[in-house]
Amino acid sequence: MYFDYTATTPMDEEIIDTYCMIQKKYFANTTSLHLLGQKSNNIYLQMIDEIKHVLNCNHDIVFTSNATEANNLAIMGCVENKKGTIITTKIEHPSVYEVFQHLENNGYDVKYLNVDSNGIIDLDELKSYLNNDVLLVSIMWVNNIIGSIQPIDKVIELIKPYKKIKLHVDCVQGITKIKPNFSFDDIDLFTFSAHKFYGPKGIGVLGYKKNFNLDKRLFGSNAQFGIKPGTFDLGLVVCCAKALKKYCNLLDKNFKYVKELRDLFVNNIKNSKVSFNSNDNCSPYIINISVLNTNGETIVHLLEAKDIYVSTGSSCSSKLKKPEKTIMAISDSYDKAISTIRISLSYLTTKDEVMKLVDEVNKL
Ligand code: PMP
């Protein structure tokens, strides 16, 4: 029983078929001048249009290897060779947080926004840091550990008067799952990854506003605006666009079902050692709990013995055995932060699976 859909999802069968079809029929390099190259290039351009249509935005779209690379290219591309303040939160994914740490070590003035016990930033704190020296604000839409949803609409309003400030939103855990309360056209840069919505691994997306001179980190051809030069896999691009369209169309239906699953879990947990780190306002796809006096890794293995797969937190830091950063930020409790597990749901999860998980968690 797989409850780790936040880490990654299985590929949709239909999307796998699309991948095979593209590999067989349109394998040419999109930069080749012959007819097959041109046909491949036309498909690539159509996919960009499809993504922009689905997100209702007018950004330039660059395909990367994953969201980690997209986040790195977005942030570094905004601040390189410039001086000033950059702002993020204490609960970002490492692919944002570590870039900020690197920049801090290299002389940038970095502000890390606090979050409250619900994992939400304080807009007044953000406001207090805004001035004409700020280069970039990077705030995730949905947190990957507890599922808290940031008020991106309000962040946009706060930043609007400062024409120089760029806003980057890591959309990885929001896209296809949560209805945005903002327009993508109001954010300067956004990033996401196809493997989180039943697309293939190996492809991420960086969208950035047209006419914005994003600095290059990689050098080569001028493919993909020179931001991510080199030959890319058209199959991955098509699958990314198709999966995005398919699962954006299913957003409401899947949200409703997953919310029912979440409520079923929450309402049936009777173990007094369990405390919830996610609340009703979080993404229903993510349930984070701490189990008193039990190490998160131990819980993962106890459940694994029952064929149940959960996670201790971000898959990228789960082997590091550190207190979970987001749980520390919301609770300031070391005990909670080392005894946490993340259960993540999907439209593929059944009620029966949830009840089996409930039974095992109640026994812990
Ligand atoms: N940002 C968030 C919020 C994530 O959850 C993840 C995936 N764990 C990433 C970025 C990085 O995505 P990828 O694995 O595609 O590099």
Side-chain angles (χ1 to χ4, degrees), residues 131-149:
N131 60 50
N132 291 323
D133 287 332
V134 176
L135 302 170
L136 172 71
V137 174
S138 178
I139 296 182
M140 70 199 321
W141 177 9
V142 177
N143 175 264
N144 54 304
I145 304 296
I146 59 168
S148 55
I149 304 172

Side-chain angles (χ1 to χ4, degrees), residues 146-312:
I146 59 168
S148 55
I149 304 172
Q150 300 303 337
I152 301 296
D153 55 340
K154 301 209 171 75
V155 171
I156 289 168
E157 284 312 310
L158 280 184
I159 292 178
K160 232 172 211 166
Y162 302 90
K163 297 289 168 238
K164 213 177 95 184
I165 303 179
K166 301 289 176 225
L167 174 62
H168 164 238
V169 179
D170 174 341
C171 293
V172 172
Q173 299 297 346
I175 215 122
T176 75
K177 297 194 183 94
I178 307 294
K179 207 177 236 167
N181 67 359
F182 56 90
S183 154
F184 281 88
D185 266 343
D186 284 334
I187 54 185
D188 297 290
L189 306 107
F190 61 80
T191 42
F192 60 86
S193 215
H195 72 96
K196 306 288 186 181
F197 48 83
Y198 315 97
K201 291 164 193 54
I203 184 154
V205 168
L206 160 60
Y208 66 98
K209 276 229 174 117
K210 274 198 187 306
N211 308 323
F212 171 40
N213 202 5
L214 195 63
D215 249 17
K216 290 179 185 168
R217 296 287 296 163
L218 302 169
F219 297 90
S221 69
N222 60 3
Q224 297 215 76
F225 313 99
I227 298 298
K228 170 75 180 170
T231 308
F232 56 82
D233 180 352
L234 185 63
L236 295 181
V237 167
V238 175
C239 289
C240 175
K242 295 275 172 225
L244 180 73
K245 187 174 178 185
K246 178 167 179 179
Y247 287 95
C248 277
N249 284 336
L250 291 169
L251 188 149
D252 287 333
K253 182 170 169 247
N254 289 346
F255 182 94
K256 193 166 168 275
Y257 174 65
V258 169
K259 181 103 178 59
E260 277 175 33
L261 295 180
R262 180 202 170 272
D263 292 347
L264 186 67
F265 180 84
V266 172
N267 294 335
N268 282 289
I269 291 299
K270 309 284 180 224
N271 186 338
S272 59
K273 284 165 76 184
V274 170
S275 60
F276 285 88
N277 299 315
S278 317
N279 64 33
D280 271 359
N281 296 322
C282 289
S283 162
Y285 286 86
I286 300 177
I287 308 170
N288 192 301
I289 59 172
S290 292
V291 185
L292 199 66
N293 298 331
T294 320
N295 191 292
E297 201 177 319
T298 309
I299 309 169
V300 168
H301 293 307
L302 284 170
L303 293 175
E304 185 190 32
K306 306 283 175 186
D307 289 329
I308 294 174
Y309 298 158
V310 300
S311 155
T312 49

Side-chain angles (χ1 to χ4, degrees), residues 28-34 37-38 40-41 221-224 230-232:
N29 195 314
T30 52
T31 58
S32 293
L33 292 180
H34 49 68
Q38 284 177 38
S40 301
N41 195 47
S221 69
N222 60 3
Q224 297 215 76
T231 308
F232 56 82

Side-chain angles (χ1 to χ4, degrees), residues 85-120:
T85 303
I86 52 179
I87 303 172
T88 191
T89 78
K90 287 191 176 162
I91 62 166
E92 294 299 306
H93 185 269
S95 59
V96 168
Y97 193 81
E98 294 297 322
V99 184
F100 274 74
Q101 296 256 291
H102 167 77
L103 291 167
E104 190 174 20
N105 292 337
N106 282 283
Y108 287 82
D109 171 34
V110 181
K111 309 284 188 219
Y112 298 95
L113 299 174
N114 290 303
V115 290
D116 63 15
S117 59
N118 297 316
I120 302 294

